[in-house]
Structure formats: structure tokens, C-alpha cells
Amino acid sequence: MSTPEIQSVTSSALSSTLLDRHPRRLIITGGAGFIGSNFVHYWGQHYPGDRVIVLDALTYAGNRANLAGLEGHANLRFVQGDICDRALIDTLLAEEAIDTIVHFAAESHVDRSILGPGAFVQTNVVGTFTLLEAFRQHWQAQGKPEQYRFHHVSTDEVYGSLNPDDPGFSEITPYAPNSPYSASKAGSDHLVRAYHHTYGMPTLMTNCSNNYGPYHFPEKLIPLMCINILLGKPLPVYGDGQNIRDWLYVEDHCSAIDTVIHRSQPGETYNVGGNNEVKNLDLVQMLCTLVDELAPDLPVRPSSNLITFVKDRPGHDRRYAIDATKIKTELGWTPSVTVEEGLRRTVQWYLNHPDWWQPLLSEEYQAYYRKVYA
Ligand code: NAD
Ligand code: TYD
């Protein structure tokens, strides 16, 4: 499948080429989390006529404040619920006449999966199975309509770790997950693949590199470092800080999913990345420089004085990188935000929104922090 006339799809260009599209009726699972909430904002801006049901259990990572400005919108309904609750999902699929699931809900943090893997198996494997099975029966009961889609949002971490000279992960790289998080995501990916292969269910899958941007919970590297700089707390860099991640601005991830939902054949899978490989220590130093420039008052300046090497994460993957050739050549998607621009926007967002992040530094968060950084 090739569409060579498409050079590059930005989000606005894509929506303007789809003026004759049918409105969709979507469940967005995990829509109160980091990427899910960015996607709900994105979708509302691009497809305001679509019906959106956000299904989210509001775990520690879910936050109604991430959907600020959307509450009360006639086409948006928020449902607090668990993706393992089959009866709830059956009811929502039927009463809202859903044709599309975009599935973000997950336990998503590697360090938490090391402390307690059980919740990862439950939500990521059993929860994904529950959604797949409910959607299969709904799709079959409706006579297998051609426009139905089940889009599974996954990670590049299912492929394991790369050596310095290895090419980036492609869609045919063998799975080799190393953490309980990535193993549970790999399990869910295999179920999605099997539902297409066995039942012909119209699934889609994207495996994306590390995201960053607004509404990112401060257990992950970038928001944790931003907030610690603002508070004058140590910046804990694991091991030697030479691990590499490929960073993608969250809005680019949203436009990639949009592109796949609208342009891909059912059953396809695409790797999504930012072409932005950066060593952790370099990234933290970039953040320090940016916060030093943008924040008028800081407890410690230069903030790079706060960098502290701490004990390494067990089983820490050394390098992730994505070969995004397939989504570029088949669907015309490329990322549009450089890491310099994306980090600047992100730092400015955290500076402007202490009211968003201060309440997240809860007792639960402090207890988690003490365990990981003991
Ligand atoms: P997140 O932890 O910020 O949000 C997860 C959301 O899922 C939260 O709102 C939480 O309340 C909800 N949730 C958890 N368990 C649930 C359950 N049982 N039922 C219903 N809702 C539940 O995660 P994120 O970073 O936004 O990641 C979203 C998805 O994208 C995940 O599937 C993750 O594996 C994938 N992904 C993330 C990244 C990244 O860099 N963050 C990269 C690639 C892929
Ligand atoms: P993270 O944001 O947890 O994403 P992932 O583990 O899914 O890639 O971590 C990104 C990188 O930053 C990873 O190599 C671990 C490292 N890291 C630190 O060095 N210190 C920290 O405090 C955290 C949270 C992460």
C-alpha cells in the first residue's frame, strides 16, 4: 500500500483533506492521562462534530484537570470506569453506537512496573483483552461495518534495547521486552494482532517512542526534572546518564494516530518516532539551560548544579530508536516539532501551570518517590 503523492501530513493538512469524512463515535480510553488527554484536545479541535466518550479509571495518573476547557462540551462525555469492566464497556458500545476505540489506558511507568507488576498485567493485558472481546462482539453484531476501527496505542519498548550502531526499530523487529511494563504491552500487542488475524477485526496499532509535552505526570523524566529544577531539588540521573531515548512531542504523536486512523488499511501496524535521539544527561542539561533562561526566580542557579547521579534502574534499556520509514512512505506522516522547540514549549507550559502540577506532588507521590530514589 503506497500513497506517493502524499509528501507530508501535518494535522491541519490532514483534516482539510478529509472534509467528506463521516463523523465518528469514539471511546478514548485513558483520555484523562498524559497522551490520551492531549489526544482528546487534538481530536476536539480537528473533528468537533465527532462524539467522544472518555473512559478513564482516574488512577493516580488520570486527572480531570487534563481536560480543562472541554467539560460541558455537548459532544464529550466523561465516564469514570475500568477497562476491565466488561458490562460497562458493552453498555457504552451499544448506547453510544461506538464505531471507533482509541485505546490509551494503561499502567505506563517502568519504575512502577518494577515495584509492582501486577497492576500492569491486569490493566495492560486483561484490560486490553476485555476491550477487544467487547468490541469484537459489538462489531459482529452490527454486521461488521467497514468503517469500524480499534486503534491500539503501544510503545517502542516492546522491541527491547538497541546497541549503539543498530538501526532503529522497524515494524519487523522481533519483540524482546525487558521490563514488566514493556512485557505487558507486548502481551496486549499480540492480542491485538491475533484479533485481526483470527477474526478479521479492523485493528490498527502504533508503537511510539518517548513522548513529552503538557499534562505529563511528574514521575517521567522531563516533567520530573522541570519541576525539581523549579523546587531546587536534586535531579536524579540514573546510572551514567548515557542511555538514549528518541523524543517525540505529544502533538506529533496525536497527528500520527489521526493519520493512521484515517489513512491506514485495517490490520496494519506503524512505528512512530521523532528522529530525536538524545542521551539522558544531555537532555537534562538542555532542560537546565532552558529553565535558567525562562524562569525569573530559581532556588539554585545554574540549575545544572542540581544534577545528581543515582543508582541505575534494574534492567535499564540502553537505547531506543525508531525507523519511521513505513508511516512516512505509506501514509505521508512526519514529525513537525524539533526537540529544541518542543522542550521550549514544554518548559514554558510547566512554568505557566504550577496550579496543575503542585497538587500532583501528593502523599502518594512522595511515598513513590522515596521508594524509587531511596
Ligand atoms: P498515563 O499513565 O499518563 O495515562 C494512563 C491513563 O490510563 C490514566 O488516565 C489512567 O487513569 C488510565 N487508566 C489506567 N488504568 C486504567 C484502567 N484499568 N481502566 C481505565 N483507565 C485506566 O499514560 P500515557 O503516558 O498517557 O500513555 C498512554 C498510552 O500510550 C499507554 O498505552 C502507553 O503504553 C502508550 N505510550 C506511552 C508513551 C510515553 O512516552 N508516555 C510512549 C509510547 C506509548
Ligand atoms: P522515563 O521518562 O521513565 O521513560 P522510559 O523509561 O519509558 O523511557 O525515563 C526516560 C529515561 O530517563 C530512561 O532512560 C530513564 C531515565 N530517568 C532518569 O535518569 N532519572 C529519572 O528520575 C527518571 C524518571 C528517568
Side-chain angles (χ1 to χ4, degrees), residues 109 157 210 219-221 236-238 245 280 313 316 373:
H109 190 42
E157 302 191 25
N210 287 61
E219 65 194 352
K220 305 276 170 52
L221 180 74
V237 174
Y238 295 161
R245 296 294 181 264
N280 290 341
R313 170 188 279 173
H316 195 176
Y373 301 99

Side-chain angles (χ1 to χ4, degrees), residues 266-326:
E268 287 290 344
T269 172
Y270 291 93
N271 285 2
V272 179
N275 285 328
N276 277 317
E277 282 188 60
V278 188
K279 291 180 179 148
N280 290 341
L281 184 58
D282 294 342
L283 188 86
V284 174
Q285 266 155 348
M286 287 164 79
L287 285 170
C288 289
T289 306
L290 268 170
V291 183
D292 286 352
E293 178 198 326
L294 296 173
D297 297 313
L298 283 177
V300 177
R301 194 186 284 275
S303 49
S304 54
N305 285 348
L306 293 167
I307 292 175
T308 310
F309 292 93
V310 300
K311 77 169 186 299
D312 210 352
R313 170 188 279 173
H316 195 176
D317 285 338
R318 195 65 174 166
R319 173 177 168 239
Y320 302 144
I322 287 272
D323 174 356
T325 305
K326 184 180 172 192

Side-chain angles (χ1 to χ4, degrees), residues 93-151:
L93 289 171
E95 82 182 14
E96 294 285 355
I98 295 298
D99 54 47
T100 303
I101 291 184
V102 190
H103 176 34
F104 293 93
E107 289 293 338
S108 69
H109 190 42
V110 173
D111 292 315
R112 287 191 193 249
S113 82
I114 296 167
L115 292 171
F120 288 71
V121 174
Q122 182 63 19
T123 288
N124 300 359
V125 183
V126 178
T128 302
F129 163 71
T130 307
L131 282 173
L132 282 166
E133 192 56 7
F135 192 76
R136 175 176 77 85
Q137 290 181 18
H138 173 66
W139 167 69
Q140 288 174 336
Q142 300 305 311
K144 304 184 179 178
E146 188 255 329
Q147 76 275 17
Y148 276 34
R149 292 291 183 273
F150 184 105
H151 188 117

